Amino acid sequence: MLANTDNNKTTANNVWDAKTQTFHGGQEHRFINNFVEDFSVTTNYLGTPCKALEAAKEAISDIHHYPAANQEPAKSCLAEFLWGSGYREHHGRLLMGNGASELIDLVVRKALLSCEQRNIKKPTWKGSPWNVQVGNVEGREYQRSAETNGFEILDPANPEKADMICIVNPCNPTGDYFSVEPLKKWIRDNVKSNGCVIVDESMQPWHSADFRNDSLISEHAYTREMFEKEGVSVHVMHSWTKIWSCTGLRVGSVICPTAQHCEALRKIQVPWSVNGPALKFVETVVNDDEYLQKTWSNTTRLRAWLIEQLKSLGHLDWEYHGKAFLSWVWLDMKNEDLAEKAIDLARAAGVPVRSGKPGYQCNSFVRVAVRRESEVQVLIDAWKSLE
Ligand SMILES: Cc1ncc(COP(=O)(O)O)c(C=O)c1O
């Protein structure tokens, strides 16, 4: 049966199956005839890094071969990007996946298995403390995975410790951020002994050229100690599809507390889940220093400029949330109808933004990605008629 007959046409409204999937930004561009730029996803404003894109394209000519079963040499390249020349010591704790989404699901399933083995009848799960009360990765991927796998969901304000806790740091969409010490305290205060933790640092590399030093990436002794003394397994998750703007390619990784944890995940992972072009992309992109230098020197400036332009629209009650280094602004328009109108106007002008309503239930909020000045101008012009 043809998918695109008039009665059966895919639109921005029915592209998600609400019964089985959770809403996420980044789909509308397909349905907008006058599309200019996607402000609805928090990818890098620079677009896909050229050299890595070329490498992925070249790798297409090799698709008659299976990709490397051990994800090499891409995995070693990524390990070296994370840990520098001492990477070999930690390499066994790193696993790549088909986007972070695959790995989130693997870690949650593994955590559930561990609860079953310990005879915990109704394991509990808790998300981060910030005001999107849902474990708050875009599309609620974490809570969705925990719910599907049978965890009881605790309210983030509930002081009870949980068998599994997940935090997206910096939080997408609110833009809140814990530096390392408060993060460790939150973990200690919220996870049970022998529990499982995921810290999602997908948006953290925007922090600065020094991002590794404010990250759990570098906290080897802490991770080891948590496991050896408390039995707590701390996993550090990365979606690489944001900072390197390759959401269509699907690249993620997880750093496990030990190599044995990694092996246990590999056991339940679908073989070859990271395809050949994606592996080649990673191998190349980790050496693109210029791209990251540009990211760090320009994103903060462009974000400040975006806020300045939004302020120039004259809505004095609007509030702008999120750390200055981030690739988006979480904008509270303080009025649901106005936010809805803003979303429609942006779509009509070919510059879709992410509504705070589906998934986050923040009805007066919109999330606006950091983009180049000329593209922002299109959005600002579209919003001039907002009142
Ligand atoms: C913070 C965060 N983590 C993970 C994901 C999932 O990413 P991926 O595209 O790698 O599956 C997203 C996607 O929106 C995200 O924003």
Side-chain angles (χ1 to χ4, degrees):
M1 185 176 173
L2 288 176
N4 270 344
T5 57
D6 276 349
N7 291 336
N8 195 11
K9 202 170 172 203
T10 308
T11 68
N13 293 329
N14 69 9
V15 64
W16 296 103
D17 173 8
K19 271 195 275 174
T20 56
Q21 296 179 305
T22 22
F23 182 88
H24 195 286
Q27 290 291 326
E28 283 181 310
H29 67 98
R30 291 173 216 286
F31 310 103
I32 295 177
N33 293 333
N34 59 340
F35 178 74
V36 178
E37 177 57 59
D38 195 353
F39 284 75
S40 77
V41 287
T42 54
T43 47
N44 197 320
Y45 84 95
L46 284 167
T48 314
C50 298
K51 284 182 222 143
L53 180 60
E54 282 312 309
K57 282 185 191 167
E58 263 175 47
I60 285 283
S61 41
D62 275 338
I63 58 168
H64 55 293
H65 293 302
Y66 274 103
N70 59 359
Q71 307 177 333
E72 294 294 358
K75 196 171 82 165
S76 290
C77 294
L78 184 60
E80 193 168 5
F81 172 78
L82 293 169
W83 297 304
S85 56
Y87 75 91
R88 283 185 189 82
E89 197 187 329
H90 310 294
H91 174 270
R93 293 164 46 213
L94 183 68
L95 183 67
M96 293 173 66
N98 190 254
S101 302
E102 183 201 12
L103 299 167
I104 293 167
D105 190 58
L106 289 185
V107 177
V108 173
R109 277 163 53 202
K110 175 70 186 36
L112 187 72
L113 217 59
S114 149
C115 288
E116 279 168 12
Q117 282 160 355
R118 286 178 290 129
N119 256 331
I120 298 172
K121 295 276 175 285
K122 191 70 192 165
T124 51
W125 180 95
K126 198 187 321 189
S128 71
W130 296 306
N131 72 6
V132 178
Q133 306 284 354
V134 286
N136 64 42
V137 65
E138 282 188 290
R140 302 169 60 179
E141 211 47 56
Y142 283 94
Q143 182 168 336
R144 185 180 93 102
S145 184
E147 265 168 348
T148 321
N149 283 294
F151 279 90
E152 179 189 338
I153 310 297
L154 299 183
D155 189 286
N158 186 334
E160 202 181 308
K161 291 186 175 183
D163 296 296
M164 176 163 208
I165 62 172
C166 297
I167 185 166
V168 180
N169 189 47
C171 174
N172 191 354
T174 69
D176 291 291
Y177 179 61
F178 276 151
S179 55
V180 168
E181 291 310 319
L183 175 61
K184 287 182 187 169
K185 179 174 173 357
W186 180 82
I187 293 173
R188 246 191 330 270
D189 291 347
N190 286 283
V191 70
K192 285 185 186 168
S193 296
N194 301 309
C196 179
V197 182
I198 300 180
V199 178
D200 183 324
E201 294 198 351
S202 302
M203 317 314 288
Q204 201 274 345
W206 263 278
H207 180 276
S208 64
D210 200 31
F211 74 95
R212 295 170 186 84
N213 286 329
D214 198 36
S215 155
L216 286 193
I217 294 174
S218 313
E219 294 287 323
H220 305 296
Y222 163 78
T223 315
R224 191 167 50 241
E225 201 179 302
M226 284 296 277
F227 184 60
E228 285 172 1
K229 291 202 174 143
E230 304 284 334
V232 169
S233 313
V234 179
H235 298 78
V236 186
M237 188 68 67
H238 285 98
S239 163
W240 297 109
T241 66
K242 304 300 188 309
I243 188 87
W244 287 320
S245 196
C246 59
T247 47
L249 198 59
R250 321 298 307 126
V251 184
S253 68
V254 61
I255 304 166
C256 296
T258 68
Q260 288 71 35
H261 283 81
C262 220
E263 279 164 20
L265 292 183
R266 199 177 300 118
K267 218 167 164 181
I268 55 171
Q269 182 177 39
V270 171
W272 305 291
S273 75
V274 190
N275 64 62
L279 290 172
K280 206 68 192 167
F281 180 90
V282 171
E283 210 183 306
T284 311
V285 81
V286 291
N287 293 315
D288 197 339
D289 294 334
E290 196 188 335
Y291 181 89
L292 284 184
Q293 289 301 340
K294 261 195 201 161
T295 304
W296 293 316
S297 39
N298 292 333
T299 306
T300 305
R301 177 180 62 75
L302 285 173
R303 187 179 187 280
W305 192 82
L306 168 62
I307 292 179
E308 214 175 282
Q309 296 305 303
L310 290 167
K311 283 186 176 167
S312 76
L313 292 170
H315 299 267
L316 299 179
D317 57 340
W318 285 9
E319 273 178 13
Y320 307 87
H321 296 270
K323 290 285 177 196
F325 63 82
L326 291 171
S327 61
W328 74 92
V329 175
W330 182 232
L331 167 60
D332 185 0
M333 293 186 161
K334 298 291 178 69
N335 177 323
E336 288 184 28
D337 295 337
L338 194 74
E340 217 156 280
K341 204 166 157 201
I343 289 150
D344 290 344
L345 285 171
R347 188 188 302 116
V351 282
V353 294
R354 168 74 155 92
S355 161
K357 200 169 177 176
Y360 303 136
Q361 286 86 43
C362 295
N363 300 358
S364 65
F365 282 77
V366 289
R367 192 188 60 196
V368 186
V370 171
R371 295 289 180 251
R372 289 187 168 83
E373 287 98 333
S374 57
E375 294 151 353
V376 169
Q377 202 52 58
V378 180
L379 179 67
I380 297 299
D381 287 344
W383 281 357
K384 279 187 178 148
S385 62
L386 266 183
E387 28 185 73

